[in-house]
Amino acid sequence: MSQFEIYRRKHTPVLPESIRGTSYSIHEGEKSVPISDAAEIAKTFTKTTYLPIIDIKAETTHATQLPPQTIGVIFSGGQAPGGHNVLCGLYDKLQQIAPGSTLLGFLDGPAGLMKNRHITLTKEYLEQYRNMGGFHAIGSGRDKIASQEQFDAAAKTSQDLNLDGLVIIGGDDSNTNACVLAEDFLTRGIKTNIVGVPKTIDRDLISKKGIETSFGFDSTTKVYSELIGNLCFDALSAKKYWHFVRLMGRSASHITLECGLQTHPNICLIGEEILEKKLTSKQVFEMIADIIDNRAKSGKNYGIALIPEGLIEFIPENNKLFDYLNNTLLPHWTGELNPEVVAAKLPADLRATFESIPRNIRFQLLLDRDPHGNIAISQIETEKFLVAGVKEVLEARKSVAKFNPLYHFFGYEGRCCPPSNFDSSYCYGLGSVASILLANGKTGYMASLKNLSKPPQDWIPVGLPLTCLMNVEMRHGKPTPVIQKQMVDLVGKPMKMLIDNRDSWATEDHYVQPGSLQLIDATDAEAIALAARPTITLIEEYK
Amino acid sequence: MSQFEIYRRKHTPVLPESIRGTSYSIHEGEKSVPISDAAEIAKTFTKTTYLPIIDIKAETTHATQLPPQTIGVIFSGGQAPGGHNVLCGLYDKLQQIAPGSTLLGFLDGPAGLMKNRHITLTKEYLEQYRNMGGFHAIGSGRDKIASQEQFDAAAKTSQDLNLDGLVIIGGDDSNTNACVLAEDFLTRGIKTNIVGVPKTIDRDLISKKGIETSFGFDSTTKVYSELIGNLCFDALSAKKYWHFVRLMGRSASHITLECGLQTHPNICLIGEEILEKKLTSKQVFEMIADIIDNRAKSGKNYGIALIPEGLIEFIPENNKLFDYLNNTLLPHWTGELNPEVVAAKLPADLRATFESIPRNIRFQLLLDRDPHGNIAISQIETEKFLVAGVKEVLEARKSVAKFNPLYHFFGYEGRCCPPSNFDSSYCYGLGSVASILLANGKTGYMASLKNLSKPPQDWIPVGLPLTCLMNVEMRHGKPTPVIQKQMVDLVGKPMKMLIDNRDSWATEDHYVQPGSLQLIDATDAEAIALAARPTITLIEEYK
């Protein structure tokens, strides 16, 4: 165990004042309504649609002590910093409001529930995971509870263990699944209540109704921003490299936006904007080449570009092309598969798109396909795609820029960092809220905390019906109620901050080094503020 | 400017007690001798060989105030955290012992000296760079002062500016160059004294004679170890990936060793050991495959492997092959260049070596060549080379291990991080020692501090003749005195610690998360110790 781990385990997360003790009260507020398609969603979720939003408030008198509960908990999907603190918050609050309760951790994700593989989470066991990164206290997994057999298996385990409640810690898919399970259990008359916890470093699980951020986004963007800040100073010192940094975030660009606001790079691409403006790959290459050329003219043959990993799929024409290749051309292909032959077989507009893709990437596209024979778009390294395209543009222009690109991908190294002070308290608070909701018999809810741009003691605990986050989308060819992914708001304040500054960041060197995660418990106000600072995204959106 | 930058600038580095004030004394100790080839080195360095080692000690009486000096300073080569603190230490100490002195920063490396491009470093200008990463206060560069014209240009600038002293902050090559310059100036009768400062994140500039570490190694290994620790927890949580992490360090594996000791990975390859054991690529692939297979047998299809970037060149048979390809086969090659044709033209032993290289890497070797037509060995991504070889072994064995490798390279993102507390004080101290040596008329010395495993107040300032770090090596076909690179000591204590533990780290999960760089000024003893901890390498070597 490292010196750091020994020290950091002793950190005390801060709970909102309203849920510090046992004296809280549950208030049913206004009836919630799905984002859209309410009637359709109410048909699937007959028991969990239109549930009231729950406010949890401080009381002056003590609440009644609740009988002991048996609660299960699952990590579903990719890691996010703070997960262990959700477990600790769950455990501590449960022992406080319903002493003698049992917390069971299902192993390695939803599969643990279906196979009834679990461990009992005790105070002693959890001690070593307090304020620590990773999900390894119980493991995580990506299995889905989807088929009738799987729902039966989940139901059987819940009944065998006499579960009063189950907490599913996951992203939009996992929380959609949590709601389906809640509805299924209600229909079957199984007593197990289900509550979700908003986890994803991508932050695409937010809602104006009461989810200001998802846990892990704060810590992860701080790790990435630390590294990007270091690269900015490296570019400025060596004056000969262009660093192309791909960042996690396949569906939404929140991570890239936050890292951009933290570090002031020369280029910061937001997928949602490229989609809205219907830019072509060629236009993106040209845009980047313009900045490289302009900087070269003032003697600056260096820079930093931030790129969301999902960029290629945000370019509308690419999706049309990939769709045609996967569904029309490649399934019936015989003979040699090389870019020239394929290009000749494409309709004119798609051929132009195909040929706008850099040549080496065209080869890769055709050769590296997934087990279904589909183009493995996610295998294309976005930063290499961009650089190859930019190089072709610079060559065609006979640019005099000295363009030495270096590639980076910041992803896995951020997902299991020790949670920041923000995420330590946020996750501990989310676990506490989940315990309160379950112990009070609520099901089909998301545990949440609002007012997050203020200090943790002022955060506001709420329970949000999962259905109010849903709309209807096509899945496997049929309309399905799902929690809607929340993309970067192109007219929101964080995006405005980028738009207002990016021209000057492109030409000048306004690099900023935000530093590493500060996890020492400080005593002076300035250091405390530095260690506690939330994301710029959150501050801008809620200031 | 970020909240972090504003805060961290105010951090006060700790000077050794002996050089805090103006009351110090200079002691000439024993006569120094080169590592080897002393007589040969003394022929080249007639004036700077056999100089005494200098001890700087505290005095109770005040030293005489020295007349104002004009001192120049240069960053030479790659960035290392703490460089700006060397400038600050130089400036502050100079103003203290020789008030009214002028510090000139030459721009963008040695080229700044040759072209007389400089700025005056004032207190106000330096303020914004205190405790900040990067070399951008004056920039760095890799130009060498090599030809007669270049020495003349350096001499002219030194005379034009009436320089009393010049500080060269660099690695082994730059400090060899510093010594050549010192000798040249002495020969020409130019008054400018030269002092070097040991900079390299690689730590291959150490010496038992009095350089315990080079600056930047501490901070950089802490950043890499933070990220590796995060990956360890990610592997343990997701249980489905093998992370292959390439680390900076082309010539020596000190970085990989330190990061291994910090995080306890399943595999930690040390180039020097592979060289000594004369392992072949095939043997290295087999060794890794064994660990992967063994872990798979106990259900662990995940892990972490650390690899020094120079690994391929540590494998002796590869160097023979590359040498033959570059100097014998490829210069006269005509016709198609594909691996089969090339293999057929190789002598049997080299053919076996060539064929032991994974097939896709053989292609890359032949195609991606440098401007001189040589194989671009440094372009081969070591982690991909290893994984490709390991995959071939696993397939040949019909291994049942589920092997999903992910690739990482940690390099540039560590070089310009804000210096750790250790490097902040170490660099500030090195700058102070350099000022004292120059102001007292010493030339051909390296500024150094010993006793570094103790707190900064107990560090011991010394001046080490540059020639005593030299031996004679072949350069451009002729024997040349150069500072000897210091490799990992295979019988040293840090390596022993790895050897003693690596079998259990390979099979069990003993991962440790050392956490991020802690840069807040703490008040309690535990936090202070955490933020001040030096590298394990240093503690082990000097405990």
Side-chain angles (χ1 to χ4, degrees):
Chain A
M1 215 187 291
S2 73
Q3 212 175 336
F4 166 75
E5 290 169 297
I6 294 166
Y7 176 85
R8 184 64 181 170
R9 284 199 176 92
K10 292 180 278 192
H11 171 73
T12 309
V14 181
L15 269 188
E17 269 170 21
S18 53
I19 53 167
R20 275 194 198 162
T22 51
S23 11
Y24 62 87
S25 60
I26 299 261
H27 298 263
E28 299 203 344
E30 53 179 328
K31 201 183 74 168
S32 74
V33 181
I35 296 175
S36 63
D37 317 291
E40 185 69 22
I41 288 166
K43 272 188 236 164
T44 307
F45 295 96
T46 57
K47 298 179 170 58
T48 51
T49 312
Y50 307 128
L51 290 176
I53 289 176
I54 305 266
D55 290 308
I56 304 170
K57 293 181 182 167
E59 283 293 318
T60 46
T61 54
H62 270 262
T64 326
Q65 216 173 60
L66 297 165
Q69 310 273 315
T70 303
I71 304 287
V73 59
I74 297 175
F75 284 132
S76 180
Q79 286 77 253
H84 287 145
N85 274 25
V86 178
L87 305 185
C88 296
L90 269 173
Y91 181 87
D92 291 352
K93 182 52 73 180
L94 211 49
Q95 296 308 330
Q96 190 190 38
I97 62 172
S101 290
T102 303
L103 184 62
L104 305 176
F106 289 102
L107 299 177
D108 301 329
L113 174 66
M114 295 186 279
K115 297 177 187 166
N116 195 359
R117 293 184 58 241
H118 69 269
I119 55 171
T120 301
L121 298 173
T122 61
K123 188 168 163 45
E124 294 64 38
Y125 182 78
L126 287 173
E127 223 47 55
Q128 60 186 311
Y129 296 102
R130 284 182 192 265
N131 310 304
M132 288 296 112
F135 278 3
H136 49 292
I138 54 175
S140 185
R142 293 188 184 271
D143 300 273
K144 263 195 161 179
I145 301 169
S147 69
Q148 192 53 50
E149 291 69 34
Q150 289 171 319
F151 277 103
D152 292 346
K156 182 168 187 311
T157 300
S158 301
Q159 287 179 306
D160 287 353
L161 294 172
N162 198 24
L163 283 190
D164 296 298
L166 177 65
V167 179
I168 294 178
I169 301 168
D172 54 326
D173 272 353
S174 306
N175 275 293
T176 296
N177 216 217
C179 198
V180 177
L181 204 59
E183 185 77 21
D184 181 67
F185 282 7
L186 283 174
T187 309
R188 295 180 191 232
I190 293 173
K191 71 166 178 179
T192 313
N193 295 317
I194 315 277
V195 163
V197 171
K199 174 228 67 173
T200 168
I201 62 167
D202 292 345
R203 197 180 177 260
D204 52 11
L205 188 52
I206 50 174
S207 167
K208 289 286 171 198
K209 293 174 181 172
I211 309 176
E212 298 178 3
T213 195
S214 48
F215 84 74
F217 177 72
D218 186 271
S219 313
T220 311
T221 53
K222 284 191 167 79
V223 172
Y224 300 155
S225 297
E226 170 199 2
L227 302 177
I228 296 162
N230 293 350
L231 288 178
C232 288
F233 278 11
D234 205 73
L236 196 54
S237 302
K239 300 194 179 72
K240 61 180 177 184
Y241 296 121
W242 262 95
H243 295 277
F244 280 73
V245 182
R246 171 170 43 123
L247 291 164
M248 267 200 174
R250 173 131 268 119
S251 321
S253 307
H254 296 285
I255 289 179
T256 303
L257 178 56
E258 171 66 20
C259 293
L261 297 179
Q262 287 285 353
T263 60
H264 309 178
N266 308 103
I267 294 170
C268 181
L269 300 179
I270 301 300
E272 289 85 338
E273 186 181 27
I274 286 167
L275 176 68
E276 203 202 46
K277 291 185 173 170
K278 296 192 174 61
L279 296 187
T280 63
S281 299
K282 194 69 195 290
Q283 285 173 311
V284 176
F285 301 152
E286 294 274 359
M287 191 170 75
I288 297 174
D290 288 347
I291 292 174
I292 292 168
D293 263 338
N294 273 337
R295 289 180 62 83
K297 276 173 204 154
S298 50
K300 295 178 176 174
N301 286 300
Y302 59 88
I304 309 274
L306 305 188
I307 309 152
E309 61 174 342
L311 186 82
I312 296 173
E313 293 161 85
F314 275 112
I315 297 172
E317 60 167 18
N318 287 345
N319 288 326
K320 273 193 237 167
L321 170 69
F322 299 151
D323 195 48
Y324 187 85
L325 287 171
N326 282 336
N327 298 316
T328 308
L329 200 61
L330 296 180
H332 313 290
W333 193 269
T334 54
E336 200 195 358
L337 196 61
N338 79 44
E340 281 68 31
V341 189
V342 169
K345 294 268 169 84
L346 287 169
D349 59 332
L350 297 183
R351 190 184 314 140
T353 301
F354 187 64
E355 286 173 343
S356 76
I357 294 175
R359 191 177 151 76
N360 56 343
I361 308 283
R362 269 179 271 161
F363 262 106
Q364 194 192 334
L365 269 179
L366 298 176
L367 294 176
D368 296 351
R369 286 190 289 154
D370 73 13
H372 310 287
N374 286 330
I375 283 181
I377 302 164
S378 67
Q379 296 303 305
I380 305 172
E381 293 164 308
T382 318
E383 69 285 19
K384 293 189 177 166
F385 170 85
L386 282 179
V387 165
V390 167
K391 275 186 175 169
E392 289 184 358
V393 170
L394 292 173
E395 277 162 27
R397 284 183 189 180
K398 303 198 195 317
S399 163
V400 293
K402 286 179 205 150
F403 180 51
N404 292 315
L406 287 173
Y407 305 104
H408 308 270
F409 171 45
F410 297 146
Y412 299 95
E413 51 277 82
R415 302 196 311 182
C416 286
C417 74
S420 62
N421 283 353
F422 177 92
D423 273 328
S424 289
S425 292
Y426 184 43
C427 291
Y428 191 75
L430 289 174
S432 304
V433 173
S435 274
I436 291 172
L437 291 172
L438 285 175
N440 285 279
K442 302 298 172 192
T443 192
Y445 277 85
M446 180 82 95
S448 190
L449 288 162
K450 299 192 300 183
N451 209 30
L452 299 176
S453 60
K454 299 293 178 302
Q457 55 267 29
D458 300 329
W459 293 350
I460 298 167
V462 290
L464 221 56
L466 288 162
T467 49
C468 84
L469 307 170
M470 291 188 184
N471 66 355
V472 170
E473 295 175 19
M474 294 303 287
R475 292 290 155 94
H476 305 291
K478 65 176 189 198
T480 311
V482 293
I483 292 178
Q484 191 184 51
K485 270 192 197 295
Q486 298 300 316
M487 318 305 281
V488 167
D489 178 3
L490 296 177
V491 294
K493 286 177 190 161
M495 188 65 196
K496 183 170 186 316
M497 198 178 194
L498 176 67
I499 293 169
D500 288 349
N501 287 287
R502 65 183 166 192
D503 289 344
S504 97
W505 293 351
T507 47
E508 310 294 321
D509 298 336
H510 287 303
Y511 306 135
V512 161
Q513 196 167 50
S516 49
L517 265 179
Q518 295 307 316
L519 301 169
I520 280 179
D521 290 320
T523 43
D524 68 296
E526 191 183 1
I528 291 171
L530 175 62
R533 71 200 153 99
T535 57
I536 295 176
T537 301
L538 192 60
I539 294 171
E540 284 298 307
E541 279 191 359
Y542 289 91
K543 75 181 173 189
Chain B
M1 217 186 292
S2 73
Q3 213 176 333
F4 165 75
E5 289 169 297
I6 293 166
Y7 176 85
R8 184 65 182 169
R9 285 200 175 93
K10 292 181 277 192
H11 171 74
T12 309
V14 181
L15 269 188
E17 268 171 21
S18 53
I19 53 169
R20 274 193 200 161
T22 50
S23 10
Y24 62 88
S25 62
I26 299 261
H27 298 264
E28 299 203 344
E30 52 178 329
K31 199 183 77 168
S32 73
V33 181
I35 296 175
S36 63
D37 317 290
E40 184 68 23
I41 289 167
K43 274 189 236 162
T44 307
F45 295 97
T46 57
K47 299 179 169 60
T48 52
T49 310
Y50 306 126
L51 290 175
I53 288 176
I54 305 263
D55 290 307
I56 304 169
K57 293 182 181 166
E59 283 291 321
T60 45
T61 54
H62 270 261
T64 326
Q65 214 173 64
L66 298 164
Q69 310 274 315
T70 302
I71 305 287
V73 58
I74 297 175
F75 284 131
S76 180
Q79 286 78 254
H84 287 145
N85 274 25
V86 178
L87 305 186
C88 296
L90 269 172
Y91 180 87
D92 291 351
K93 183 53 70 182
L94 211 49
Q95 295 309 328
Q96 190 190 38
I97 62 173
S101 290
T102 302
L103 183 64
L104 305 177
F106 289 101
L107 298 177
D108 301 329
L113 174 67
M114 294 186 280
K115 297 177 186 166
N116 195 358
R117 293 184 56 239
H118 69 269
I119 56 173
T120 301
L121 298 174
T122 61
K123 188 168 163 43
E124 293 64 38
Y125 182 78
L126 287 173
E127 222 48 55
Q128 61 186 312
Y129 297 102
R130 283 181 193 266
N131 310 305
M132 289 295 112
F135 278 4
H136 50 290
I138 54 177
S140 185
R142 293 189 183 270
D143 300 272
K144 264 194 160 179
I145 301 168
S147 69
Q148 192 54 51
E149 291 71 33
Q150 289 171 319
F151 277 103
D152 291 346
K156 183 170 188 308
T157 300
S158 302
Q159 287 179 305
D160 286 353
L161 294 172
N162 198 25
L163 283 190
D164 297 297
L166 178 65
V167 179
I168 295 179
I169 301 169
D172 55 326
D173 271 355
S174 306
N175 275 292
T176 297
N177 216 216
C179 198
V180 177
L181 204 59
E183 185 78 21
D184 181 67
F185 283 6
L186 283 173
T187 309
R188 294 180 192 232
I190 292 173
K191 70 165 179 179
T192 312
N193 295 318
I194 315 277
V195 164
V197 172
K199 173 228 68 171
T200 168
I201 62 167
D202 293 345
R203 198 180 176 259
D204 53 10
L205 188 52
I206 50 175
S207 167
K208 289 285 170 199
K209 293 175 182 172
I211 309 177
E212 299 179 1
T213 194
S214 49
F215 84 74
F217 177 72
D218 186 272
S219 313
T220 311
T221 54
K222 285 191 168 80
V223 172
Y224 300 154
S225 297
E226 170 199 1
L227 302 178
I228 295 162
N230 293 350
L231 288 178
C232 288
F233 279 10
D234 205 72
L236 196 54
S237 304
K239 300 194 180 71
K240 61 180 177 184
Y241 296 121
W242 263 94
H243 294 276
F244 280 73
V245 183
R246 172 171 41 124
L247 292 164
M248 268 200 173
R250 172 133 269 118
S251 321
S253 307
H254 296 284
I255 289 179
T256 302
L257 178 56
E258 171 66 20
C259 293
L261 297 179
Q262 288 286 352
T263 60
H264 310 179
N266 307 103
I267 295 169
C268 181
L269 301 179
I270 302 300
E272 289 85 338
E273 186 182 27
I274 287 168
L275 176 68
E276 203 202 45
K277 293 185 173 171
K278 296 193 176 59
L279 296 187
T280 63
S281 299
K282 193 69 196 289
Q283 286 173 312
V284 176
F285 302 153
E286 294 274 358
M287 190 170 75
I288 297 174
D290 287 347
I291 292 174
I292 291 169
D293 263 338
N294 274 337
R295 289 180 62 81
K297 276 173 204 153
S298 51
K300 294 178 175 173
N301 285 299
Y302 58 87
I304 308 274
L306 305 189
I307 310 152
E309 62 175 341
L311 186 81
I312 298 173
E313 293 161 86
F314 276 111
I315 298 172
E317 59 166 19
N318 286 344
N319 289 325
K320 275 193 236 166
L321 170 69
F322 299 151
D323 195 50
Y324 187 85
L325 287 171
N326 283 335
N327 299 315
T328 307
L329 200 61
L330 296 179
H332 313 291
W333 194 269
T334 53
E336 199 194 357
L337 196 61
N338 78 45
E340 281 69 30
V341 189
V342 170
K345 295 268 168 85
L346 287 168
D349 60 331
L350 297 183
R351 190 184 315 141
T353 301
F354 187 63
E355 286 174 344
S356 76
I357 294 175
R359 192 177 150 75
N360 56 342
I361 308 283
R362 270 178 270 161
F363 262 105
Q364 194 193 334
L365 270 179
L366 298 176
L367 294 176
D368 296 351
R369 287 191 288 154
D370 73 14
H372 310 288
N374 285 330
I375 283 181
I377 302 164
S378 67
Q379 295 303 305
I380 304 173
E381 293 164 308
T382 318
E383 69 285 18
K384 292 190 177 166
F385 170 84
L386 283 179
V387 166
V390 168
K391 274 186 176 170
E392 289 184 358
V393 171
L394 291 173
E395 277 162 27
R397 286 183 188 181
K398 302 200 195 320
S399 163
V400 292
K402 287 178 205 150
F403 181 50
N404 291 316
L406 287 173
Y407 305 104
H408 307 270
F409 171 46
F410 298 146
Y412 299 95
E413 50 278 81
R415 302 195 312 182
C416 286
C417 74
S420 62
N421 283 353
F422 177 92
D423 272 328
S424 290
S425 292
Y426 184 42
C427 291
Y428 191 75
L430 288 174
S432 303
V433 173
S435 274
I436 291 172
L437 292 172
L438 285 175
N440 286 279
K442 302 299 171 191
T443 192
Y445 277 85
M446 180 83 95
S448 191
L449 288 162
K450 299 193 300 183
N451 209 29
L452 298 177
S453 60
K454 300 292 179 301
Q457 55 268 30
D458 299 329
W459 292 350
I460 299 166
V462 290
L464 219 56
L466 288 163
T467 49
C468 83
L469 308 170
M470 291 189 185
N471 66 356
V472 170
E473 296 175 17
M474 294 302 287
R475 293 288 155 94
H476 305 292
K478 66 176 189 196
T480 311
V482 294
I483 292 179
Q484 191 184 52
K485 270 192 198 295
Q486 297 301 315
M487 317 306 279
V488 167
D489 178 2
L490 295 177
V491 295
K493 286 178 189 162
M495 188 65 195
K496 184 171 185 312
M497 197 179 196
L498 176 68
I499 293 169
D500 288 348
N501 287 287
R502 65 183 166 192
D503 289 343
S504 96
W505 293 351
T507 48
E508 311 294 319
D509 298 336
H510 287 303
Y511 306 134
V512 161
Q513 196 166 50
S516 49
L517 265 180
Q518 296 307 315
L519 302 168
I520 279 179
D521 290 321
T523 43
D524 69 296
E526 191 183 0
I528 290 170
L530 175 62
R533 71 200 153 98
T535 57
I536 295 176
T537 302
L538 191 60
I539 295 171
E540 285 297 307
E541 279 191 358
Y542 289 91
K543 73 181 174 188

